[in-house]
Amino acid sequence: MSILRIYLRVLGLLAPERALAFALTVANLVLAGVFFMEPMLFGRVIDALSKPHGHVAVFIGAWALVGFVGVVVGALVSLHADRMSHRRRLGAVRAYFEHVIGLPLSFHGNQHTGKLLRIMHIGTDNLSVLWLGFFREHLTTLLAIVVMIPVAIAINWQLALLMIALLTCFVIFNAIAIRRTRCAQDRVQDYHHRISTRVGDVLGNVTVVQSFTRTREEVSGLKQLIAEALSAQYPVLNGWATLSVFSRAASTLTVVAIFALGAMLHARGEISIGGIVSFVGFALMLIGRLEQFATFISNLFFQSNSLRDFFDVLDTPPAVTEAPDAVALPRVRGEVAFEHVDFAYETGRQALRDLSFRIPAGSKVAVVGPTGAGKTTALSLLYRATDPSRGRITVDGVDIRGATLESLRRNVAVVFQEPGLLSRSIEENLRIGDPDADDRALETAARAAQAHAFIAEKPEGYATAVSERGRSLSGGERQRLAIARAMLKDA
């Protein structure tokens, strides 16, 4: 995904607030006019001072009025752009979260939680920065340049050519910098992902690290990754620093050239002193805007990798989709049938081959086999964590691919090998099984799972907070809560 395409997609995320975005665009057009008028009026004031009746007060008053309009419009743009940026950032967090939790288990099996969190946080932060920059600076800069160049040509084409030459140098310098440093920045981004993954691994398994006395080795490994990341980053920074030097040099030479050529044209009577002042004002404004734009291009370049990762996650398609005519299953009796089911993982490993069986409603069945035989896979196919590559699965004679995901999964309760407790209270963890269950049903499920006794012994009972992944509980307590959660669902 090119940098331009990334930027256009960033702006496309503002679609839910297109009316406000349009109003801010119009306001930026007004600001661009203000920036253009100020050097023009400054030049008129200079020319008026050199004439006996030059109406100096009129031009100064107009200049003050234009400046006041710019201040008011600028304040309104900043206020509403800030608010919209914060709203859309949180909207992007919600969209990312909603999409990621719906992605298949195979995706999550290949992605580290620390990496996914880093992509979300840095990606949405960069989105907010770009939205703010677009309405506060970038759009005004672009509009000012578009208006300024034709007007400058109309006033004096010779001096305007110097400004066009500066603009051309700016474009060429930035294009060269991007082309020469993009691959190196890709490597830097990979190092940052590896750092986040390593830190997440250690923090998620700190008991193992401490018990095997691996603290020093893990810290040393992180230091090595950081050193490699810096070694990859420095050449990129050197390239953009060189770009800054060349851009500043071109800007200085342009201003000097405008003064020199303006003096020659004034000596021949082809331009007034006020015209020269206006052109110098145009040039200084163009240089200031180009420097802002150079900062924007530099920031976008360094942000593009994280934004590309963010959009790559959003573009990852779900492995399981609902049929357009999917129907909601009622509360089922529970007859399950697998008919010639095949399933292979993305790696090509065949997990299930021509699996067929029928389980009558109300019966109890154990599926046994060696590690890797496909027991867990078969269960995940039943609640459509993924779909078989061949064959079909029915519940009460209905192909589960013709049912809505919500209604199918509402009829299935699972006790996973990993209990999967959230960092919430015991009560909130149990209510995942049935959010509408009353306290009596909650306690009944806990007693059936032999969990009520240890819950009652906790200082806060069912309101006791559970730490991340249930680490504040013993292994047996976690499992019993998982069983109680499934019983409360009563599927």
Side-chain angles (χ1 to χ4, degrees):
M1 192 183 299
S2 67
I3 292 180
L4 176 59
R5 186 181 171 192
I6 290 174
Y7 190 54
L8 293 176
R9 188 160 180 185
V10 168
L11 298 181
L13 293 178
L14 297 175
E17 301 199 45
R18 57 175 62 87
L20 177 58
F22 178 76
L24 290 174
T25 301
V26 173
N28 272 272
L29 183 60
V30 173
L31 286 176
V34 169
F35 292 141
F36 163 71
M37 290 296 295
E38 286 183 338
M40 287 286 294
L41 290 171
F42 184 35
R44 292 295 181 89
V45 169
I46 296 298
D47 283 338
L49 288 172
S50 64
K51 298 176 182 179
H53 305 288
H55 305 291
V56 176
V58 174
F59 290 118
I60 291 178
W63 191 2
L65 178 61
V66 168
F68 178 75
V69 170
V71 170
V72 173
V73 174
L76 291 174
V77 167
S78 295
L79 174 64
H80 290 287
D82 281 2
R83 293 180 175 182
M84 182 174 67
S85 174
H86 281 81
R87 286 195 301 271
R88 296 314 312 148
R89 178 186 176 277
L90 293 176
V93 169
R94 180 200 57 77
Y96 180 92
F97 173 73
E98 185 177 2
H99 180 74
V100 168
I101 62 175
L103 291 178
L105 299 180
S106 59
F107 171 84
H108 290 280
N110 294 324
Q111 300 289 337
H112 193 279
T113 304
K115 177 181 177 181
L116 291 176
L117 286 174
R118 180 178 186 275
I119 289 174
M120 182 186 76
H121 288 305
I122 296 182
T124 53
D125 284 347
N126 287 338
L127 287 174
S128 179
V129 169
L130 287 175
W131 288 328
L132 281 176
F134 178 75
F135 288 112
R136 282 183 171 184
E137 300 172 359
H138 311 154
L139 184 56
T140 306
T141 296
L142 182 61
L143 293 173
I145 292 174
V146 169
V147 172
M148 190 188 312
I149 296 300
V151 172
I153 293 174
I155 295 175
N156 189 291
W157 66 270
Q158 293 162 298
L159 293 176
L161 286 179
L162 294 175
M163 295 173 60
I164 294 173
L166 174 61
L167 182 60
T168 303
C169 290
F170 165 80
V171 173
I172 293 174
F173 292 160
N174 278 271
I176 293 173
I178 291 173
R179 189 176 68 250
R180 290 190 175 182
T181 58
R182 180 170 180 176
C183 291
Q185 187 61 27
D186 289 342
R187 291 194 296 272
V188 173
Q189 181 74 357
D190 180 63
Y191 277 119
H192 283 299
H193 283 324
R194 289 167 62 185
I195 290 172
S196 297
T197 299
R198 190 180 189 97
V199 171
D201 271 343
V202 173
L203 295 180
N205 298 280
V206 68
T207 304
V208 176
V209 172
Q210 291 180 355
S211 64
F212 282 88
T213 62
R214 289 284 304 176
T215 303
R216 184 180 303 171
E217 288 78 6
E218 292 300 331
V219 171
S220 177
L222 183 63
K223 287 181 178 179
Q224 179 63 31
L225 273 179
I226 292 174
E228 292 173 1
L230 290 175
S231 296
Q233 185 72 83
Y234 287 157
V236 178
L237 297 178
N238 292 340
W240 285 89
T242 302
L243 164 68
S244 177
V245 171
F246 279 109
S247 297
R248 285 293 180 91
S251 298
T252 301
L253 291 175
T254 300
V255 173
V256 173
I258 287 177
F259 266 114
L261 181 57
M264 291 174 55
L265 295 175
H266 177 67
R268 294 194 302 225
E270 296 182 18
I271 191 171
S272 66
I273 294 177
I276 296 175
V277 170
S278 293
F279 250 101
V280 172
F282 282 152
L284 293 176
M285 185 170 71
L286 177 64
I287 290 169
R289 290 293 165 177
L290 288 180
E291 287 180 350
Q292 285 183 347
F293 213 63
T295 301
F296 156 65
I297 293 294
S298 175
N299 291 339
L300 179 59
F301 171 80
F302 287 107
Q303 294 164 350
S304 62
N305 290 89
S306 62
L307 290 170
R308 190 179 294 115
D309 290 338
F310 182 83
F311 288 127
D312 283 344
V313 172
L314 289 184
D315 291 339
T316 302
V320 176
T321 56
E322 286 188 1
D325 57 347
V327 297
L329 287 176
R331 183 173 177 84
V332 300
R333 293 182 299 107
E335 181 186 71
V336 174
F338 277 56
E339 300 175 3
H340 306 289
V341 170
D342 286 357
F343 180 79
Y345 290 101
E346 294 177 355
T347 57
R349 182 173 67 86
Q350 192 79 18
L352 300 174
R353 188 189 303 275
D354 198 27
L355 178 64
S356 296
F357 58 83
R358 184 174 301 274
I359 304 174
S363 59
K364 298 179 178 64
V365 173
V367 181
V368 298
T371 300
K375 304 180 296 297
T376 303
T377 300
L379 175 63
S380 67
L381 292 174
L382 178 59
Y383 60 86
R384 289 197 72 194
T386 188
D387 281 332
S389 53
R390 187 177 73 92
R392 70 173 192 155
I393 302 169
T394 64
V395 174
D396 289 355
V398 177
D399 190 330
I400 61 175
R401 284 175 293 196
T404 62
L405 287 171
E406 182 180 358
S407 66
L408 170 66
R409 292 171 180 172
R410 193 168 53 238
N411 277 286
V412 180
V414 186
V415 179
F416 295 94
Q417 291 174 339
E418 290 291 333
L421 299 181
L422 304 179
S423 182
R424 301 171 189 175
S425 68
I426 290 176
E427 179 181 351
E428 288 175 300
N429 272 283
L430 294 180
R431 288 192 187 279
I432 291 174
D434 182 4
D436 300 322
D438 57 27
D439 292 343
R440 183 177 179 181
L442 200 73
E443 183 176 328
T444 299
R447 287 184 182 278
Q450 298 183 18
H452 176 75
F454 80 78
I455 296 175
E457 292 176 357
K458 301 289 183 184
E460 297 180 65
Y462 283 83
T464 301
V466 176
S467 64
E468 182 184 7
R469 298 178 185 173
R471 290 176 184 167
S472 57
L473 303 174
S474 71
E477 289 172 339
R478 292 196 294 268
Q479 283 291 352
R480 293 185 186 201
L481 289 182
I483 294 170
R485 181 175 60 194
M487 286 183 166
L488 185 64
K489 189 173 184 180
D490 190 27

